[in-house]
mmCIF file of all heavy atoms in Angstrom:
data_model
loop_
_atom_site.group_PDB
_atom_site.id
_atom_site.type_symbol
_atom_site.label_atom_id
_atom_site.label_comp_id
_atom_site.label_asym_id
_atom_site.label_seq_id
_atom_site.Cartn_x
_atom_site.Cartn_y
_atom_site.Cartn_z
ATOM 1 N N ALA E 24 143.956 156.898 139.227
ATOM 2 C CA ALA E 24 145.281 156.645 139.595
ATOM 3 C C ALA E 24 145.514 155.169 139.868
ATOM 4 O O ALA E 24 144.628 154.431 140.262
ATOM 5 C CB ALA E 24 145.585 157.448 140.870
ATOM 6 N N ALA E 51 109.523 141.288 144.650
ATOM 7 C CA ALA E 51 109.065 142.425 143.837
ATOM 8 C C ALA E 51 107.485 142.474 143.896
ATOM 9 O O ALA E 51 106.880 143.580 143.667
ATOM 10 C CB ALA E 51 109.399 142.283 142.389
ATOM 11 N N ASP E 138 119.418 156.480 131.905
ATOM 12 C CA ASP E 138 118.641 156.243 133.200
ATOM 13 C C ASP E 138 118.696 157.474 134.053
ATOM 14 O O ASP E 138 118.024 157.475 135.078
ATOM 15 C CB ASP E 138 119.424 155.068 133.895
ATOM 16 C CG ASP E 138 119.039 153.754 133.279
ATOM 17 O OD1 ASP E 138 118.077 153.675 132.542
ATOM 18 O OD2 ASP E 138 119.866 152.815 133.600
ATOM 19 N N LEU E 192 120.867 150.213 155.907
ATOM 20 C CA LEU E 192 121.474 148.923 155.665
ATOM 21 C C LEU E 192 120.498 148.115 154.771
ATOM 22 O O LEU E 192 119.286 148.408 154.691
ATOM 23 C CB LEU E 192 121.681 148.197 157.015
ATOM 24 C CG LEU E 192 122.483 148.984 158.058
ATOM 25 C CD1 LEU E 192 122.352 148.161 159.347
ATOM 26 C CD2 LEU E 192 123.871 149.123 157.640
ATOM 27 N N LEU E 201 121.202 142.478 158.626
ATOM 28 C CA LEU E 201 121.301 143.748 157.953
ATOM 29 C C LEU E 201 122.740 144.001 157.434
ATOM 30 O O LEU E 201 123.631 143.823 158.306
ATOM 31 C CB LEU E 201 120.893 144.820 158.879
ATOM 32 C CG LEU E 201 119.427 144.894 159.315
ATOM 33 C CD1 LEU E 201 119.174 145.999 160.334
ATOM 34 C CD2 LEU E 201 118.518 144.999 158.143
ATOM 35 N N ALA E 243 81.435 155.997 154.606
ATOM 36 C CA ALA E 243 80.079 156.382 155.120
ATOM 37 C C ALA E 243 79.244 157.130 154.090
ATOM 38 O O ALA E 243 78.059 156.848 153.910
ATOM 39 C CB ALA E 243 80.247 157.360 156.404
ATOM 40 N N ASN E 263 43.982 137.906 147.258
ATOM 41 C CA ASN E 263 43.928 136.727 146.590
ATOM 42 C C ASN E 263 45.258 136.346 145.755
ATOM 43 O O ASN E 263 45.297 135.344 145.032
ATOM 44 C CB ASN E 263 42.799 136.703 145.534
ATOM 45 C CG ASN E 263 41.535 136.846 146.117
ATOM 46 O OD1 ASN E 263 41.213 136.425 147.294
ATOM 47 N ND2 ASN E 263 40.570 137.597 145.518
ATOM 48 N N THR E 265 48.779 134.777 144.929
ATOM 49 C CA THR E 265 49.418 133.534 145.321
ATOM 50 C C THR E 265 50.815 133.763 145.696
ATOM 51 O O THR E 265 51.448 134.854 145.414
ATOM 52 C CB THR E 265 49.341 132.510 144.230
ATOM 53 O OG1 THR E 265 50.076 133.027 143.042
ATOM 54 C CG2 THR E 265 47.805 132.313 143.711
ATOM 55 N N ALA E 285 59.104 146.677 134.153
ATOM 56 C CA ALA E 285 58.749 145.424 134.834
ATOM 57 C C ALA E 285 57.423 144.951 134.428
ATOM 58 O O ALA E 285 56.522 145.736 134.060
ATOM 59 C CB ALA E 285 58.750 145.592 136.362
ATOM 60 N N LEU E 382 126.999 169.073 140.185
ATOM 61 C CA LEU E 382 125.679 169.169 139.532
ATOM 62 C C LEU E 382 124.949 170.290 140.074
ATOM 63 O O LEU E 382 124.850 170.484 141.253
ATOM 64 C CB LEU E 382 124.972 167.845 139.658
ATOM 65 C CG LEU E 382 123.531 167.784 139.093
ATOM 66 C CD1 LEU E 382 123.652 167.606 137.611
ATOM 67 C CD2 LEU E 382 122.667 166.754 139.769
ATOM 68 N N ARG E 383 124.323 171.107 139.196
ATOM 69 C CA ARG E 383 123.441 172.155 139.650
ATOM 70 C C ARG E 383 122.094 171.972 138.974
ATOM 71 O O ARG E 383 121.997 171.588 137.872
ATOM 72 C CB ARG E 383 123.986 173.545 139.227
ATOM 73 C CG ARG E 383 125.071 173.989 140.051
ATOM 74 C CD ARG E 383 124.571 174.594 141.416
ATOM 75 N NE ARG E 383 123.944 175.820 141.137
ATOM 76 C CZ ARG E 383 122.573 176.164 141.419
ATOM 77 N NH1 ARG E 383 121.839 175.068 141.941
ATOM 78 N NH2 ARG E 383 122.040 177.251 141.215
ATOM 79 N N VAL E 396 116.229 192.990 133.604
ATOM 80 C CA VAL E 396 117.086 193.219 132.445
ATOM 81 C C VAL E 396 117.172 194.582 132.128
ATOM 82 O O VAL E 396 118.317 195.274 131.827
ATOM 83 C CB VAL E 396 116.697 192.348 131.211
ATOM 84 C CG1 VAL E 396 117.507 192.788 129.991
ATOM 85 C CG2 VAL E 396 116.827 190.834 131.469
ATOM 86 N N GLU E 434 128.085 193.272 114.342
ATOM 87 C CA GLU E 434 129.273 194.108 114.302
ATOM 88 C C GLU E 434 128.826 195.494 113.830
ATOM 89 O O GLU E 434 128.035 195.589 112.896
ATOM 90 C CB GLU E 434 130.387 193.549 113.447
ATOM 91 C CG GLU E 434 130.990 192.294 114.026
ATOM 92 C CD GLU E 434 132.134 191.753 113.226
ATOM 93 O OE1 GLU E 434 132.429 192.443 112.188
ATOM 94 O OE2 GLU E 434 132.710 190.691 113.539
ATOM 95 N N GLU E 462 139.886 221.207 117.529
ATOM 96 C CA GLU E 462 141.282 221.376 117.744
ATOM 97 C C GLU E 462 141.636 222.787 117.907
ATOM 98 O O GLU E 462 142.476 223.066 118.769
ATOM 99 C CB GLU E 462 142.001 220.828 116.392
ATOM 100 C CG GLU E 462 142.082 219.397 116.296
ATOM 101 C CD GLU E 462 142.861 218.875 115.146
ATOM 102 O OE1 GLU E 462 143.477 219.832 114.507
ATOM 103 O OE2 GLU E 462 143.071 217.694 114.991
ATOM 104 N N GLU E 468 138.302 216.138 127.173
ATOM 105 C CA GLU E 468 137.283 215.528 128.019
ATOM 106 C C GLU E 468 137.352 216.066 129.495
ATOM 107 O O GLU E 468 138.465 216.104 129.983
ATOM 108 C CB GLU E 468 137.339 214.012 128.036
ATOM 109 C CG GLU E 468 137.116 213.377 126.713
ATOM 110 C CD GLU E 468 135.652 213.414 126.289
ATOM 111 O OE1 GLU E 468 134.830 213.630 127.104
ATOM 112 O OE2 GLU E 468 135.388 213.007 125.103
ATOM 113 N N PHE E 525 124.575 222.699 108.635
ATOM 114 C CA PHE E 525 123.677 223.550 107.816
ATOM 115 C C PHE E 525 124.539 224.015 106.615
ATOM 116 O O PHE E 525 123.970 224.244 105.466
ATOM 117 C CB PHE E 525 123.322 224.707 108.630
ATOM 118 C CG PHE E 525 122.433 225.741 107.976
ATOM 119 C CD1 PHE E 525 121.084 225.476 107.826
ATOM 120 C CD2 PHE E 525 122.988 226.924 107.455
ATOM 121 C CE1 PHE E 525 120.342 226.414 107.034
ATOM 122 C CE2 PHE E 525 122.106 227.807 106.854
ATOM 123 C CZ PHE E 525 120.827 227.593 106.602
#
Side-chain angles (χ1 to χ4, degrees):
D138 288 341
L192 305 172
L201 295 178
N263 298 326
T265 64
L382 176 78
R383 284 278 292 116
V396 171
E434 294 184 1
E462 283 188 4
E468 295 286 348
F525 181 77

